[in-house]
Amino acid sequence: MSMQAQQNTGRERRTSRTLGAITALLMVGAALSGTANADTLIERLQQEAPSNWGKWGDDDQIGALNYLDEAQAKRGAAAVRSGRRFMLQVPMTHGDGPVFPGRTPTQHFMVGDESSYSSRKSEPMPGGMKGSDDVVFMYLQGTTHVDALAHAWYGNQVYGGVSADSTVHGHTHADISALGERGIVGRGVLLDVGRHLGEGDRLAPDTCIHLADLKATAEAQGVALEKRDILLLRTGSVARFYDEEPDHAWNAMNEPGLCYSLELLNWLHEMEIPALAADNIAVERVMQEIEGEVAAIPLHGALMRDLGIVITEIAWLEDLADDSAADGQYTFLYVAAPLKMEGGTGSPVNPVAIK
Ligand code: UVW
């Protein structure tokens, strides 16, 4: 088979898997809207759940990042012992890498390189210097990324109670640039749930992570969780993608992740957790059964829209986890700077953990 034919076959396979995943989501959406139009499952569930709307004023756009003040930056810095650094982004690779079904991986194109000069399309600059240029086309969620608080909502309102019309043609409220102005800096804690509760060192597909699992993992690691900690949840899922599914359209539907519960939401609220990051596609399980009904990414609504908790997805936690298992230190200074993409739904990010 020619390379072109192989590429076409691969593309067709990916397209059909992507369409399958989207169809599954649409079917779930149709089922939900068919049964519960103005009163969806997530709306009903969230009536009992905690909310941070109004806590930092009517115009607030950064939610629980308000908790991350100077004192929290100093608390994070106090966790640094050796100075070892861990970069938590997955590689950005042309046409490859884990993305949510329906999104395409990063496309990277060279605009100018040595071939521009050897083909005489360009001339060196006066004095002889040469240079390269390139462009990317990518989903802002197409690699390790931070989501804007208004990126996910239910009903007609986004974070803070602002109309969902504010999302049209670019977010005018709670976009990613608001988080980019603030940055995410504080004490990070790795909860290696995969290593402590998984098979081998990874959680099996379809595993729900509950509050009790987070607490059991912290206890097994000998780490005391404190108010305003930034929590990094390792499932082993991104590593599984690279080991077992080099095709970008991974089976995101049955990835392990957090599962919705009021108990979890109340705990996150009481602990004033500002941000969560995970090595899976959605932090939570994509499809969840709650009270006999199916919901897709319900925690996106509960965390971002209602609590203003900032989430980071597709994080690379393997090196940090190995190092932490070796030295028993699961706390560190965590620093992540989303890009100031005005009106954007999210931002690629390369978070840094410094131990
Ligand atoms: C999904 O969970 C769909 O990913 P994101 O939050 O990046 O949109």
Side-chain angles (χ1 to χ4, degrees), residues 1-253:
M1 192 187 288
S2 70
M3 187 174 287
Q4 183 65 50
Q6 278 177 355
Q7 284 171 348
N8 285 344
T9 310
R11 231 174 265 134
E12 280 155 21
R13 194 179 67 240
R14 287 195 290 273
T15 305
S16 107
R17 288 177 59 174
T18 300
L19 288 176
I22 293 169
T23 307
L25 272 178
L26 290 176
M27 283 167 64
V28 170
L32 284 176
S33 57
T35 53
N37 202 10
D39 183 20
T40 59
L41 174 60
I42 182 72
E43 283 174 297
R44 291 202 304 277
L45 291 169
Q46 283 302 100
Q47 282 171 6
E48 306 295 321
S51 164
N52 279 329
W53 286 9
K55 182 167 189 164
W56 297 285
D58 290 342
D59 206 25
D60 174 56
Q61 314 212 20
I62 63 169
L65 289 195
N66 280 289
Y67 290 133
L68 293 180
D69 53 15
E70 284 80 2
Q72 297 310 311
K74 284 165 71 178
R75 196 169 67 87
V80 176
R81 293 184 205 159
S82 66
R84 279 198 304 284
R85 285 157 296 174
F86 298 87
M87 314 304 285
L88 306 182
Q89 187 188 14
V90 298
M92 284 171 66
T93 309
H94 173 77
D96 201 8
V99 288
F100 195 78
R103 295 175 180 150
T104 49
T106 303
Q107 307 290 308
H108 175 228
F109 305 100
M110 295 307 290
V111 175
D113 53 26
E114 176 60 22
S115 70
S116 319
Y117 302 105
S118 57
S119 64
R120 314 291 300 196
K121 284 185 187 141
S122 298
E123 292 298 325
M125 289 176 267
M129 286 300 297
K130 304 176 186 176
S132 58
D133 262 325
D134 52 357
V135 293
V136 294
F137 168 82
M138 71 177 300
Y139 278 78
L140 290 172
Q141 277 85 3
T143 179
T144 309
H145 64 274
V146 179
D147 281 336
L149 287 182
H151 170 57
W153 69 97
Y154 59 87
N156 303 321
Q157 291 164 297
V158 298
Y159 172 71
V162 171
S163 166
D165 289 340
S166 63
T167 66
V168 177
H169 303 311
H171 293 270
T172 53
H173 172 79
D175 71 343
I176 194 64
S177 75
L179 305 186
E181 290 290 342
R182 178 77 172 198
I184 308 171
V185 181
R187 187 177 94 138
V189 179
L190 174 69
L191 292 175
D192 192 347
V193 189
R195 196 171 303 251
H196 288 285
L197 299 173
E199 297 160 8
D201 72 346
R202 293 177 188 168
L203 294 179
D206 291 322
T207 305
C208 259
I209 303 172
H210 301 288
L211 175 60
D213 300 324
L214 301 184
K215 290 183 175 174
T217 300
E219 196 176 334
Q221 293 177 172
V223 62
L225 295 175
E226 296 175 7
K227 273 193 162 186
R228 305 193 176 189
D229 280 340
I230 298 164
L231 301 183
L232 278 62
L233 312 182
R234 181 185 168 275
T235 66
S237 206
V238 164
R240 179 181 290 119
F241 168 84
Y242 283 106
D243 283 355
E244 298 172 11
E245 292 195 64
D247 186 335
H248 76 264
W250 70 7
N251 194 354
M253 295 301 150

